[in-house]
Amino acid sequence: LELEEFSAEEEVLPEIEPVPVEEEMLPEIEPIPVEEEVLPEIELVPVEEEVLPEIEPIPVVEEVLPEIESIPVVEEILPVIEEIDVEEVVEAVPVEAKKIRSLTDEQKAIFSYFVPVRGMEEQLCNALSGIISNLSGKPNSSTGNLIIQGSQGCGKTMLATSIVKVLQKECGRPNGKIGKIEADTLNRKDVQQLLKKVAGGCLIIEHAGGIDRDTAVKLSLLLEQDTSGTFVILEDSAVGIKKILAADNGLAKKFTETVTVPIFGNEDLVGFAKSYACELGYEIDEMAILALHNSISNIEKYDQATTLEEIKDIIDNAIDREAHSGLRKFFNILTANRYTDDEKIVLTEKDFE
């Protein structure tokens, strides 16, 4: 097929005449005169100054407080364990340290309750030797203090005061006040002030296992600083002593001497009873000794040692019976059987029934 070829004719557009644009003339705006607003003149009103009324000063009455009566401060004095004759206490002087190998007759009389107990004399000699050496040759209380351990009622405080008596005779120390205090009470006290009150003397602490750690540390530091020669004795059972020594190692090192009071056997208790009766002016005859053994057996307990206080009660009761024996007492006086040659009253078997 043949395709017809068309020629493209150029189209001539008619010429457009320009349209004249007329310039729009905006009408002239006349300015509007602005009238200035004149504010009315404000007349000033004079302000009268307010005169406040004069206030009369109120007189201040000085309050006079009632005079308070001063209350005298009573210094707390530690209880004295036992009165010691001051004339017997000589001024402390350095003495040559010596080993005490046996007790003198005078010392045995002081320790009369304990010397008959097996092993006690040797313990006392060793402890006294160490204490005297420390009291005489050191500037503070850092060593040489004493532990007394034993079961309840075995006479630890009695032994402590006896030791103090012997020390005063041997070396003149301790030469201050002697006081005792319970550990629980010590925990609530000002330890420094307490030691000042017994400076140069002796402080006995009962049930020492009850001392808390804070008090133990304070006591240890104060003993290191003490230069008065204060002597301290701790008392308790073996368990209680172990507890306080474990509380503070520094305190434990200051207690270098120890006396252990053993559990008394029957013969030991009889020996104590005889010494106690003798001290009161009585003597137990041979037949009464057998009755005393029976009395002790009657109070013995399976799980608890017999105490010295219980033995004292037996002797006290026997003395009371003898004093109120009526006709028997009168008969003994007539027959001269009531007294010994050294004027002691005789306790008989019937006094222990």
Side-chain angles (χ1 to χ4, degrees):
L1 295 174
E2 290 184 8
L3 298 175
E4 190 175 354
E5 194 176 298
F6 293 94
S7 60
E9 293 182 1
E10 184 177 351
E11 185 177 5
V12 180
L13 295 173
E15 187 176 346
I16 302 171
E17 292 184 6
V19 178
V21 179
E22 292 183 359
E23 186 177 354
E24 184 178 5
M25 298 295 289
L26 293 172
E28 187 176 347
I29 300 171
E30 292 183 7
I32 303 170
V34 179
E35 293 183 0
E36 186 177 353
E37 184 178 6
V38 180
L39 294 172
E41 188 176 349
I42 300 171
E43 187 178 349
L44 294 174
V45 179
V47 179
E48 293 182 0
E49 186 179 354
E50 183 180 4
V51 180
L52 295 172
E54 187 176 351
I55 300 172
E56 292 184 8
I58 301 171
V60 178
V61 180
E62 185 178 355
E63 183 180 4
V64 179
L65 294 172
E67 186 176 351
I68 300 172
E69 186 179 351
S70 59
I71 301 172
V73 178
V74 180
E75 183 181 0
E76 181 186 5
I77 303 296
L78 289 172
V80 175
I81 298 296
E82 190 170 344
E83 291 291 339
I84 298 174
D85 190 351
V86 180
E87 293 180 358
E88 295 182 0
V89 181
V90 297
E91 186 178 353
V93 292
V95 296
E96 184 181 352
K98 60 180 180 179
K99 175 73 175 176
I100 298 176
R101 302 193 179 277
S102 62
L103 299 176
T104 64
D105 289 342
E106 184 182 13
Q107 290 167 349
K108 285 180 180 179
I110 294 173
F111 293 122
S112 60
Y113 295 161
F114 301 96
V115 170
V117 180
R118 191 188 326 180
M120 280 300 294
E121 182 172 356
E122 182 181 357
Q123 284 196 77
L124 289 169
C125 288
N126 290 335
L128 289 169
S129 296
I131 295 166
I132 291 171
S133 175
N134 281 283
L135 285 176
S136 304
K138 63 183 177 59
N140 56 31
S141 301
S142 58
T143 57
N145 297 293
L146 176 65
I147 290 170
I148 300 178
Q149 60 184 6
S151 59
Q152 183 177 356
C154 69
K156 295 185 289 293
T157 300
M158 189 189 308
L159 179 59
T161 56
S162 297
I163 288 173
V164 171
K165 280 184 179 181
V166 171
L167 289 173
Q168 289 177 324
K169 289 178 178 291
E170 287 295 313
C171 66
R173 298 174 69 178
N175 55 6
K177 291 180 180 178
I178 302 171
K180 69 174 179 178
I181 191 170
E182 288 278 344
D184 289 341
T185 305
L186 180 64
N187 292 334
R188 301 190 298 270
K189 293 286 185 182
D190 184 329
V191 182
Q192 185 173 14
Q193 292 300 318
L194 194 66
L195 286 180
K196 283 182 180 179
K197 291 177 182 177
V198 293
C202 176
L203 179 63
I204 300 171
I205 304 174
E206 297 179 319
H207 301 104
I211 298 175
D212 60 35
R213 176 168 169 72
D214 287 345
T215 303
V217 172
K218 290 176 187 175
L219 181 59
S220 177
L221 294 174
L222 289 168
L223 289 177
E224 285 181 10
Q225 299 166 9
D226 179 80
T227 56
S228 66
T230 303
F231 178 51
V232 180
I233 301 176
L234 298 181
E235 292 181 14
D236 209 337
S237 64
V239 174
I241 292 298
K242 185 177 180 180
K243 182 180 177 184
I244 178 56
L245 296 183
D248 180 66
N249 188 50
L251 182 65
K253 290 179 179 178
K254 292 170 178 60
F255 290 83
T256 54
E257 310 304 323
T258 302
V259 174
T260 300
V261 182
I263 295 175
F264 293 130
N266 203 281
E267 289 300 325
D268 297 327
L269 295 172
V270 170
F272 171 79
K274 291 168 72 174
S275 296
Y276 178 65
C278 182
E279 190 177 85
L280 297 176
Y282 291 82
E283 185 174 300
I284 306 171
D285 71 13
E286 291 300 322
M287 293 303 294
I289 293 293
L290 296 175
L292 175 60
H293 274 283
N294 291 333
S295 298
I296 293 172
S297 298
N298 291 337
I299 64 171
E300 285 179 342
K301 303 177 185 66
Y302 174 74
D303 58 346
Q304 187 177 338
T306 303
T307 68
L308 297 187
E309 288 300 321
E310 290 174 314
I311 301 303
K312 282 184 176 182
D313 287 342
I314 291 174
I315 299 301
D316 289 341
N317 289 334
I319 290 173
D320 185 65
R321 289 192 193 98
E322 193 283 331
H324 297 86
S325 58
L327 288 175
R328 180 166 60 87
K329 176 181 176 181
F330 178 69
F331 179 76
N332 287 336
I333 292 173
L334 289 178
T335 57
N337 290 329
R338 188 168 188 252
Y339 295 95
T340 63
D341 293 339
D342 54 355
E343 299 299 319
K344 286 187 173 62
I345 299 173
V346 178
L347 295 177
T348 64
E349 182 180 8
K350 289 187 176 295
D351 296 325
F352 291 91
E353 291 178 350

